[in-house]
Amino acid sequence: MVTLCNVVKDYPADGQLVRALDGVSLEVAAGEFVALVGRSGCGKSTLLNLAGAMDFATSGEVLLDGVSTNSRDDTTLTRLRREKVAFVFQSFQLLNTLSVVENVELPLLLAGVPRAREAALERLASVELSGLENRMPHQLSGGQMQRVAIARALVNRPRILLADEPTGNLDTATGTIILDLLRRLTREQKTATLMATHSVEAAAIADVVIELRDGKIAGIKRN
Ligand SMILES: Nc1ncnc2c1ncn2[C@@H]1O[C@H](COP(=O)(O)OP(=O)(O)OP(=O)(O)O)[C@@H](O)[C@H]1O
Ligand SMILES: [Mg+2]
């Protein structure tokens, strides 16, 4: 579902090039949960951005559900992103002026999907948030906010789920609830899930743990 072939990513910084990824090849299948670990600056977020068609590889190839992101054609990439990819972030990134159910409903309304409200309510039930539909984001706990963000990410049934430190702002117990949820939904919805994390506990629940070091794969472990 997500394939990287010998991907290099250079960023210009201070008149030089920083090599953020240095020849990375990997594959994430549908229904598979892959954790990306490694020290700060090793390239985890860069890899997620490329896997989400948010940015281009300097060389090598990224394929999402068999479609190359190399074309650099904005319309194609925006479509690819909208149809196949969902992101979950450390900071939740809910829209503060919309209620819980409106946040989850929004991707469906943007995609013109009928019966959006009903689908949003169903999604909220699947992350055990029934009853909180009409709250505003600031009236929720961190773990509840992250569950709303996950419901919103998955409401369009994306093939690819990318999570950047999804438990980074949560205590350990709440983090565990979020990780269990991500793992369950990855299997149920057969998404290809890639999660960047600093947490050993988080990596432990993944099917595969990939360690990055200086932009290269330094180790692969199957749990
Ligand atoms: N937009 C950018 N411009 C220049 N350099 C960048 C840019 N984004 C990332 N980098 C550099 O690329 C390297 C990889 O960064 P990246 O954000 O992927 O690391 P990370 O593994 O996600 O780190 P963290 O664990 O701190 O989030 C770092 O050296 C970083 O400074
Ligand atoms: Mg990062």
Side-chain angles (χ1 to χ4, degrees):
M1 189 57 58
V2 179
T3 307
L4 277 73
C5 293
N6 208 11
V7 167
V8 172
K9 178 65 183 178
D10 291 333
Y11 290 112
D14 299 331
Q16 298 184 357
L17 288 178
V18 178
R19 182 144 293 188
L21 292 177
D22 190 4
V24 171
S25 299
L26 62 83
E27 206 159 331
V28 189
E32 191 173 38
F33 195 138
V34 174
L36 288 174
V37 300
R39 285 170 49 185
S40 177
C42 70
K44 302 182 295 295
S45 296
T46 301
L47 199 158
L48 290 185
N49 282 337
L50 293 177
M54 306 287 285
D55 203 351
F56 308 106
T58 304
S59 67
E61 189 160 42
V62 178
L63 298 165
L64 305 183
D65 202 5
V67 182
S68 171
T69 67
N70 277 11
S71 74
R72 296 181 177 244
D73 163 9
D74 267 353
T75 323
T76 313
L77 280 190
T78 306
R79 240 214 3 259
L80 192 60
R81 200 156 60 220
R82 197 177 292 157
E83 286 173 2
K84 306 219 183 271
V85 186
F87 271 95
V88 173
F89 301 94
Q90 176 173 359
S91 55
F92 319 134
Q93 302 202 354
L94 300 177
L95 294 167
N96 289 323
T97 55
L98 298 182
S99 70
V100 164
V101 68
E102 286 166 345
N103 263 282
V104 178
E105 194 179 18
L106 188 61
L108 298 173
L109 295 177
L110 292 175
V113 173
R115 300 199 309 163
R117 180 56 59 105
E118 217 174 304
L121 291 171
E122 238 170 72
R123 259 307 84 178
L124 282 166
S126 80
V127 299
E128 289 163 37
L129 284 181
S130 296
L132 299 185
E133 296 88 356
N134 296 317
R135 295 244 189 126
M136 299 305 282
H138 73 268
Q139 298 172 316
L140 301 177
S141 72
Q144 288 167 343
M145 283 192 232
Q146 192 60 302
R147 280 188 278 156
V148 176
I150 291 168
R152 181 181 60 184
L154 292 175
V155 75
N156 261 344
R157 304 202 160 267
R159 309 303 296 132
I160 298 163
L161 177 63
L162 304 170
D164 203 347
E165 295 283 352
T167 59
N169 282 349
L170 303 172
D171 64 70
T172 311
T174 311
T176 303
I177 292 170
I178 295 299
L179 292 166
D180 286 345
L181 182 64
L182 285 173
R183 186 169 59 177
R184 173 166 71 77
L185 294 172
T186 297
R187 290 206 180 129
E188 281 176 12
Q189 302 204 19
K190 300 221 170 356
T191 59
T193 300
L194 251 176
M195 171 182 72
T197 183
H198 284 113
S199 145
V200 177
E201 292 91 346
I205 72 132
D207 300 313
V208 181
V209 182
I210 296 179
E211 186 189 351
L212 289 178
R213 198 177 299 155
D214 298 331
K216 293 191 173 78
I217 293 183
I220 300 180
K221 196 178 109 212
R222 288 199 166 264
N223 282 333

